[in-house]
């Protein structure tokens, strides 16, 4: 893959996870194109061909609604999250887009200071590199390794 | 190090760990040259100068045998694994090869959904960049931090 | 950001964490410029505008003192550490320096083999790329997610 594209994708992902870890959730929808697809699902669902996931949004407006709900529910503030991602595997997509697969682990830090593994999985992204605001996600599929999902609704992944 | 080489190594490692995490074990031997060396050992062993490890293979045929055993033992399917690797540290090696050192953490996800740290350590790789099938491992030494090895035989690392 | 700069920063960080994980602590001060600032603090402190941290050093001599204390206290040897870092987010700084933000997780491996999450957080670095010894940290602020700090004094982060 082109070196410049590889690093653009890597930078987009680094900015994305740092925005979430900084609790700058209001900036989260801006990482997506206006028409987009954001899906959180499990590896089990994907293997069984089940299209549904736990979270599904198809526009920036839906993503913003979601952030508003999180803020009102106020569930997010008591803990911190930290994403660590591996190097993205980038391939050419359709219409000038690129596809990227990236492994991730997220740890959760309780307000007591206790730290635990919160989630692991892979991002399967379609990315538009050009546009007025630079690289953005056209589609982001978050494939979780675990199907324990009780608290997963609390945080963008 | 040359930028292009750095990214080639990073991509090889990203593809390698994603193949394992996807349970595409039959593709695992293809990441190695026909004549190769695959060794799983511990940091303690390395520091004491002990050449032996828990797993040792010197050809693609031995790696394929190993995958067959794993499939027959059927121990692998009940859980998932997720590798997260840091940026590889790449240096020139002998005969046009490169050497790469890469930190990794592997988490294991049980079928109940429970997630735990499975292994941590570093890869010490010798990589041939050119060849009919692109970049491959000539040697991969997996140096584990922990000497708790009971279940380690279950998975390529 | 310039591709070459991005990879220089990534390599500096990779070498830095591998030196710590290898227990080559005497090499640790050499990753900093002679006049430097090394601060370990918590996200909570940063958000409350508290300038103080748990560890603070402003010169290579102070860093070397710290390593000497660690060696004398002999607390470090019984366990191992493994850092995994994500891709650094690099931006231009002042006077030709660059700024980098990098997520990290550190696991600790006890001599019994038990592995646990030891720390998570982000590095906020100011880096001088040129100089007789290559890229070095002018400032390294280690922002920990957790305020559980009891054992943190044992290891450079």
């Amino acid at each position: 893959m082109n070196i410049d594209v590889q690093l653009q994708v890597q930078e987009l992902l680094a900015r994305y996870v740092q925005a979430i870890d900084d609790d700058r959730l209001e900036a989260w929808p801006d990482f997506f194109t206006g028409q987009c697809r954001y899906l959180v699902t499990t590896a089990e669902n994907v293997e069984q061909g089940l299209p549904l996931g736990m979270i599904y949004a198809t526009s920036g407006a839906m993503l913003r609604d979601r952030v508003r709900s999180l803020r009102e529910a106020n569930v997010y503030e008591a803990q911190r999250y930290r994403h660590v991602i591996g190097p993205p595997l980038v391939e050419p997509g359709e219409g000038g887009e690129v596809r990227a697969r990236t492994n991730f682990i997220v740890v959760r830090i309780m307000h007591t200071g206790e730290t635990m593994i919160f989630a692991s999985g892979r991002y399967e992204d379609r990315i538009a590199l050009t546009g007025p605001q630079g690289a953005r996600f056209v589609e982001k599929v978050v494939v979780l390794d675990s199907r324990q999902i009780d608290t997963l609704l609390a945080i963008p992944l």
Side-chain angles (χ1 to χ4, degrees), chain A residues 7-130:
Chain A
L7 290 179
Q8 264 184 279
V9 169
Q10 188 173 302
E11 191 192 312
L12 174 66
L13 284 157
R15 281 194 293 119
Y16 177 87
V17 300
Q18 292 190 1
I20 296 172
D21 293 345
D22 283 352
D23 195 23
R24 289 183 280 113
L25 300 191
E26 283 70 20
W28 175 59
D30 298 336
F31 287 97
F32 295 84
T33 53
Q35 292 278 357
C36 64
R37 188 165 171 269
Y38 175 74
L39 175 66
V40 180
T41 187
T42 62
E44 205 170 52
N45 267 13
V46 169
E47 284 160 17
Q48 295 174 359
L50 301 174
L52 295 180
M54 285 94 76
I55 301 173
Y56 188 52
T58 54
S59 69
M62 286 177 73
L63 295 172
R64 275 186 290 276
D65 274 353
R66 185 159 173 76
V67 171
R68 241 186 323 265
S69 308
L70 289 172
R71 290 302 190 201
E72 279 161 16
N74 207 19
V75 289
Y76 186 68
E77 315 225 348
Q79 51 252 325
R80 291 177 194 283
Y81 296 88
R82 183 65 51 191
H83 292 63
V84 175
I85 60 174
L89 194 54
V90 184
E91 290 178 351
E94 289 164 32
E97 293 172 7
V98 296
R99 292 180 171 276
R101 275 190 59 155
T102 313
N103 279 6
F104 67 83
I105 292 177
V106 185
V107 297
R108 174 156 64 172
I109 303 95
M110 308 308 286
H111 74 283
T112 57
E114 198 196 350
T115 301
M116 67 201 66
I117 297 171
F118 176 66
S120 69
R122 63 184 192 263
Y123 291 137
E124 304 212 338
D125 299 323
R126 279 172 44 213
I127 296 167
L129 294 170
T130 53

